[in-house]
Amino acid sequence: MGRGKLRIYLGAAPGVGKTYAMLSEAHRRVERGADCVVGFVEHHGRPRTEVMLHGLDQVPRRALLYRGAGFTEMDVDAVLARRPAIALVDELAHTNVPGSRNAKRWQDVEELLRAGIDVVTTVNIQHLESLGDVVESITGVRQRETVPDEVVRRADQIELVDMSPQALRRRMAHGNIYKPDKVDAALSNYFRPGNLTALRELALLWVADRADEYLQQYRGEHGIRSTWQARERIVVGLTGGPEGRTLIRRAARLAEKGAGGEVLAVYIARSDGLTAASPKELAVQRTLVEDLGGTFHHVIGDNVPDALLAFARGVNATQIVLGSSRRKAWQYVFGPGVGAGVARDSGPDLDVHIVTHEHVAKGRGLPVVRSAARLGRTRIIAGWVVGVVFPVLLAVLLTHVDADLGLANDMLLFLSLTVAAALLGGLFPALASAAVGSLLLNYFFAPPLHRFTVSDPKNIVAIAVFFGVAVSVASVVDLAARRTHQAARLRAESEILSFLAGSVLRGEHTLDALLERVRETFAMESVALLERAGDVEPWKPAGSVGPSPVTRPEDADVDMPIGDHMALALSGRVLPAEDRRVLGAFAAQAVVVLDRQRLVGEAEEARRLAEGNRIRTALLAAVSHDLRTPLASIKASVSSLRSDDVEWSEEDRAELLEGIEDGADRLDHLVGNLLDMSRLQTGTVTPLIREIDLDEVVPMALGGVPEDSVVLDVPESLPMVAVDPGLLERTVANVVENAVKYSPPGEPVLVAASFLGDRVEVRVVDRGPGVPDEAKDRIFAPFQRHGDAPRGAGVGLGLAVARGFAEAMDGGTLAAEDTPGGGLTMVLTLRAVTRDRTPPRVTVDGEDRPGPADLEPIRQKAGPQ
């Protein structure tokens, strides 16, 4: 039996109607006579969804007991035994209760598909594993239940269930998604318009990419080579020259004119050695196109126009952007150029844009990457034609022209062809040209004519001198051309090595980026850095780029050993000997980059371990003394109260109970600070930012200090601040408690607020001993006490927690300053919400909604899982 088909209803957020759409599909199939059952559908108490279950055959669920509570999950065995044609399975990313057949519901679905049962299921975009970080950055909520992207990609059909954010919020407000007591929290947290808009766009783009994959697969299966202009896809042809940046920006502007436009920059490298472009310039252009949202591609091809057109048609491109040629006018004798060739062969389905730039007709320079020994097939053929065919044509021309130029002038004409043959094809075409020219001069121009004999001894000397001069000139010209090519190649190599060394020393390269540079430089298909622990151990890849990298050096086309247990393996073609020198430098740098990456990782791990050890050591010290002190006081008071030997008066009993309460308060304060510091260290503090007045929060933060120990000055005219009220209250409370602790008796602490520009400052001023300048930053470090603070005064976390909470809020800071006249002033700076920052409100259908200015994504504490 074949594998079943998978149909997925994909939604951007809970409540868009995925389950309802799935059940509607089930009813349509049942009406057509299909055997369809409900394997697992959760209606979440939504009446309309629950009604849709009526009339459908439901497989009983499996009951499970976990930690004393009862749960139900899909009974996979019962569904397999029932063997329906179609099974409905809701919530594909769901994590099954421990004790189930599989850990994840998508694994249950895989079993049904392997059994030949078609499955219809649902999933939200936030549950795709690859999008976890993106969704967390949008919503502030990390999804714990995820499904591998490959499971969703393998689906036979994916249907997007779409709904506008405004309609979804209306559905939420009407109680059609969550219970009424959860609606307000959901609307102000996860279901904010900005979150829903971003998630909707994410879902639309993901489905569009899948549609593009299906289109490419269909075109490949049916051998379709013509362009289908379903989406604007613009290919930029790069030469590695400075005009590439202009072309990339121009292509990006073209892509912006159409929705969903895509830019693909491609560099065509020849397969006969190092690439012809500057590696530094190519790196800059790669970064630029990626910054503009495009992709960079490296293609090997000896015929640049054909390779560029093949690439464009392979990716279903609609436009090609090329730059005007940098060749000078006389260089067009070698051909019409890439732009003309591409425009001629593009056909009606590809638009070609020729973009002018400031480097037009300024020359392309020397071919800096070709070996002197490999001039290219075209130039060698041209050299032989000029050296062998042109002398024959020249002889025919001179014999049919009535002008008598003389033997000396005839020799100069033939000598010029020999020099041209040397320039084009090298030494051997020039030698052949010298030989052919000597024979033609002897036969046609030295008496007796039309015979290979010379009657005049002077003519014999002249022909001999001609042959010698021709050979000498050809040798010198060929040697000069070789030296020029060698110098140009060495210049290219030095540029590559210089840029490579500089970028590696500056730490700009990861190992994959360096291997990609190797692949592009040598026009290879794949590159892998292999290593092994010993001589008999198997090879393992430390890094690789390109399709199908080799796993053993002996399988590679080029193997560059690095020490005893490392090797750089390249696949694609065999490199000439002169290229291996540069490859050796790349291999050495690859080892340096790999070692640096590992050292950085080890250093970071060591830093984390050292920080953890320091925190643990300080925590043990705090537990051993600061926590035991209030515990000892509580224990003594409780033991006294429980003692039968003493008859306590009401005053004594009240005093002992007060001691117990004080000790419990101290313990609560210490444990709270320890937990807050732990949250800050692990990065789990996620503020709920909203606009609030300071006079609503600051007075509440003073509940832990005596009433006469603080003077409060918070004007009502202050603007609102964008903060997390809970974090702000804890921050102010810790700072004020610290100030009261160090203030002398009879000197109250001043808490004053003021408005400066777009900031609101809360200043906590005490008249205590103060703190020296060199210790002002140190007092904010965890487990630090300044001066001779007694051991029972706390664990030194109050200010550390206060600064951490302040910085966790939007733009908040906490710093220490000297109080004029003695003492310390803590300055808490917060972001003010001025009138133009206040988001407008609009009323639609009787519902108060945020306007466009309220679309700024703000992290929230919780959301639907």
Side-chain angles (χ1 to χ4, degrees):
M1 180 177 293
R3 179 181 173 89
K5 295 184 179 298
L6 177 62
R7 179 185 179 95
I8 296 178
Y9 285 94
L10 178 69
V16 295
K18 304 180 302 298
T19 305
Y20 191 93
M22 177 180 67
L23 294 173
S24 299
E25 173 70 16
H27 281 286
R28 287 193 294 271
R29 297 197 183 194
V30 169
E31 290 174 0
R32 294 196 297 264
D35 182 15
C36 181
V37 303
V38 176
F40 186 97
V41 170
E42 185 62 63
H43 56 74
H44 296 289
R46 299 165 189 169
R48 295 185 179 181
T49 305
E50 187 175 3
V51 168
M52 292 297 293
L53 285 169
H54 298 166
L56 296 177
D57 187 8
Q58 301 186 44
V59 177
R61 301 183 185 182
R62 180 185 177 189
L64 296 169
L65 189 65
Y66 179 66
R67 293 184 177 179
F71 299 90
T72 60
E73 295 287 0
M74 180 174 68
D75 193 336
V76 180
D77 291 326
V79 177
L80 292 174
R82 171 69 170 72
R83 298 199 64 82
I86 306 163
L88 307 183
V89 183
D90 205 5
E91 299 177 358
L92 183 63
H94 171 74
T95 300
N96 292 330
V97 175
S100 302
R101 182 187 185 95
N102 296 302
K104 292 286 190 176
R105 185 163 292 162
W106 64 263
Q107 295 171 329
D108 296 339
V109 169
E110 283 294 312
E111 283 199 46
L112 300 181
L113 293 173
R114 286 196 296 268
I117 300 173
D118 294 346
V119 176
V120 184
T121 186
T122 65
V123 71
N124 282 329
I125 192 68
Q126 66 262 30
H127 293 297
L128 294 183
E129 194 168 292
S130 66
L131 301 179
D133 295 337
V134 179
V135 173
E136 183 180 12
S137 67
I138 294 171
T139 65
V141 179
R142 184 68 181 185
Q143 298 296 330
R144 304 301 178 189
E145 294 186 328
T146 59
V147 58
D149 288 44
E150 186 59 28
V151 173
V152 182
R153 286 196 181 97
R154 287 201 303 264
D156 298 276
Q157 297 180 60
I158 299 177
E159 182 172 334
L160 178 66
V161 183
D162 189 27
M163 178 174 288
S164 69
Q166 293 77 15
L168 183 56
R169 284 172 58 85
R170 269 199 305 273
R171 178 180 288 183
M172 172 71 72
H174 293 159
N176 295 332
I177 301 176
Y178 290 161
K179 294 181 179 179
D181 59 338
K182 297 182 178 180
V183 170
D184 290 339
L187 288 176
S188 60
N189 292 301
Y190 194 88
F191 285 82
R192 290 181 294 114
N195 286 0
L196 297 179
T197 301
L199 290 173
R200 186 190 189 198
E201 182 178 11
L202 196 64
L204 290 170
L205 291 176
W206 196 90
V207 172
D209 288 339
R210 301 293 76 74
D212 193 58
E213 288 181 4
Y214 296 148
L215 178 60
Q216 295 292 349
Q217 179 182 356
Y218 179 85
R219 285 165 51 84
E221 291 174 352
H222 292 78
I224 300 172
R225 301 293 298 167
S226 61
T227 300
W228 287 4
Q229 298 186 6
R231 179 180 181 183
E232 286 296 334
R233 188 172 281 111
I234 302 171
V235 171
V236 185
L238 301 178
T239 65
E243 78 282 357
R245 307 180 201 181
T246 302
L247 304 184
I248 292 171
R249 294 189 181 98
R250 176 60 174 159
R253 291 195 297 272
L254 289 173
E256 290 174 356
K257 294 180 179 179
E262 184 180 357
V263 176
L264 301 90
V266 58
Y267 172 70
I268 310 295
R270 297 184 184 275
S271 61
D272 59 352
L274 296 174
T275 58
S278 164
K280 181 177 181 179
E281 184 62 31
L282 274 183
V284 171
Q285 294 175 14
R286 172 194 288 273
T287 303
L288 176 61
V289 71
E290 291 175 350
D291 289 344
L292 294 174
T295 56
F296 185 91
H297 302 268
H298 184 271
V299 176
I300 302 171
D302 290 324
N303 190 304
V304 175
D306 290 348
L308 185 59
L309 288 171
F311 174 84
R313 293 192 174 103
V315 299
N316 197 29
T318 58
Q319 302 180 57
I320 296 179
V321 175
L322 300 173
S324 297
S325 178
R326 287 184 286 131
R327 295 192 300 175
K328 296 184 178 180
W330 63 268
Q331 292 177 307
Y332 282 95
V333 299
F334 298 106
V338 174
V342 171
R344 181 188 63 240
D345 300 331
S346 61
D349 54 349
L350 271 173
D351 297 333
V352 179
H353 301 266
I354 304 297
V355 179
T356 59
H357 49 85
E358 59 182 0
H359 303 281
V360 173
K362 292 186 177 180
R364 299 189 59 178
L366 294 171
V368 297
V369 300
R370 290 190 178 182
S371 169
R374 298 191 304 274
L375 297 175
R377 178 179 300 178
T378 302
R379 286 190 57 178
I380 292 176
I381 293 175
W384 281 101
V385 170
V386 172
V388 176
V389 178
F390 278 26
V392 175
L393 298 177
L394 178 61
V396 173
L397 177 64
L398 292 176
T399 55
H400 287 78
V401 174
D402 225 0
D404 186 8
L405 301 178
L407 184 58
N409 291 327
D410 294 335
M411 289 182 175
L412 289 175
L413 292 175
F414 280 96
L415 184 61
S416 64
L417 294 178
T418 302
V419 173
L423 289 172
L424 288 174
L427 180 61
F428 292 107
L431 293 178
S433 178
V436 172
S438 299
L439 293 175
L440 292 174
L441 285 170
N442 182 9
Y443 189 79
F444 287 103
F445 304 102
L449 302 178
H450 308 300
R451 295 179 60 186
F452 288 105
T453 58
V454 181
S455 59
D456 190 347
K458 294 181 181 180
N459 291 338
I460 296 177
V461 174
I463 294 176
V465 170
F466 165 79
F467 183 78
V469 170
V471 171
S472 300
V473 170
S475 300
V476 170
V477 171
D478 178 72
L479 181 61
R482 287 174 180 270
R483 292 292 182 263
T484 300
H485 283 289
Q486 289 173 356
R489 178 185 176 83
L490 291 175
R491 185 170 66 250
E493 290 182 5
S494 64
E495 182 182 356
I496 291 172
L497 296 178
S498 174
F499 178 70
L500 171 66
S503 60
V504 170
L505 291 176
R506 291 189 300 270
E508 297 175 356
H509 271 307
T510 62
L511 180 60
D512 287 345
L514 181 62
L515 295 181
E516 183 64 29
R517 178 63 52 77
V518 175
R519 190 175 77 92
E520 294 177 0
T521 300
F522 296 98
M524 288 293 183
E525 293 180 359
S526 64
V527 179
L529 180 62
L530 307 176
E531 62 176 347
R532 59 181 178 180
D535 294 336
V536 296
E537 297 295 327
W539 291 95
K540 296 181 179 178
S544 62
V545 295
S548 303
V550 298
T551 56
R552 298 187 306 168
E554 51 265 31
D555 297 335
D557 294 316
V558 180
D559 170 23
M560 176 61 68
I562 315 171
D564 296 330
H565 302 135
M566 273 194 157
L568 194 64
L570 293 80
S571 299
R573 63 187 179 85
V574 177
L575 283 181
E578 57 266 28
D579 284 354
R580 295 183 66 88
R581 179 174 62 253
V582 179
L583 181 60
F586 272 106
Q589 294 288 16
V591 176
V592 172
V593 171
L594 179 61
D595 290 342
R596 180 191 290 114
Q597 286 185 354
R598 289 175 174 173
L599 288 174
V600 169
E602 292 173 0
E604 180 64 23
E605 181 65 23
R607 187 195 65 77
R608 287 196 298 267
L609 291 175
E611 181 67 16
N613 288 333
R614 190 181 72 82
I615 295 293
R616 282 191 292 271
T617 301
L619 181 59
L620 287 174
V623 171
S624 64
H625 186 280
D626 296 289
L627 296 182
R628 291 181 63 185
T629 300
L631 280 174
S633 174
I634 294 172
K635 173 66 176 175
S637 298
V638 171
S639 298
S640 299
L641 289 173
R642 289 174 55 87
S643 175
D644 297 331
D645 300 335
V646 181
E647 185 69 27
W648 300 101
S649 65
E650 289 299 327
E651 292 78 6
D652 293 336
R653 185 181 298 274
E655 184 178 351
L656 290 173
L657 290 174
E658 184 180 358
I660 293 174
E661 185 178 12
D662 290 342
D665 289 341
R666 289 177 58 190
L667 275 179
D668 179 68
H669 182 73
L670 291 173
V671 171
N673 276 337
L674 288 172
L675 292 176
D676 289 339
M677 197 66 230
S678 175
R679 292 170 60 203
L680 289 170
Q681 292 286 340
T682 56
T684 57
V685 176
T686 307
L688 176 61
I689 304 296
R690 64 186 182 91
E691 300 171 8
I692 195 170
D693 288 317
L694 277 179
D695 55 8
E696 296 181 26
V697 179
V698 174
M700 299 173 60
L702 307 182
V705 296
E707 293 183 3
D708 57 350
S709 62
V710 177
V711 175
L712 188 60
D713 181 15
V714 180
E716 295 182 358
S717 59
L718 289 176
M720 302 178 75
V721 291
V723 295
D724 182 313
L727 296 186
L728 177 59
E729 181 181 343
R730 291 295 306 278
T731 301
V732 175
N734 282 7
V735 173
V736 171
E737 289 174 8
N738 185 79
V740 171
K741 184 190 307 180
Y742 288 97
S743 290
E747 290 286 348
V749 172
L750 174 63
V751 179
S754 59
F755 177 49
L756 299 173
D758 61 346
R759 319 294 293 176
V760 171
E761 286 188 353
V762 179
R763 307 179 76 87
V764 180
V765 184
D766 68 62
R767 294 293 181 179
V771 175
D773 291 340
E774 62 273 10
K776 282 186 171 63
D777 283 334
R778 193 165 61 248
I779 62 176
F780 293 104
F783 302 104
Q784 295 293 323
R785 296 186 187 88
H786 177 64
D788 56 353
R791 289 291 300 174
V795 295
L797 284 178
L799 293 182
V801 171
R803 172 174 274 189
F805 282 172
E807 293 177 349
M809 291 183 286
D810 186 14
T813 60
L814 179 63
E817 298 179 356
D818 290 329
T819 301
L824 187 68
T825 298
M826 289 291 181
V827 182
L828 174 62
T829 305
L830 305 171
R831 181 172 68 85
V833 180
T834 54
R835 181 169 299 177
D836 58 346
R837 292 176 182 265
T838 304
R841 313 294 294 185
V842 295
T843 301
V844 179
D845 295 337
E847 180 184 355
D848 188 27
R849 298 182 187 172
D854 198 27
L855 298 181
E856 177 186 0
I858 300 175
R859 293 177 179 265
Q860 302 297 335
K861 286 186 175 180
Q865 299 297 316

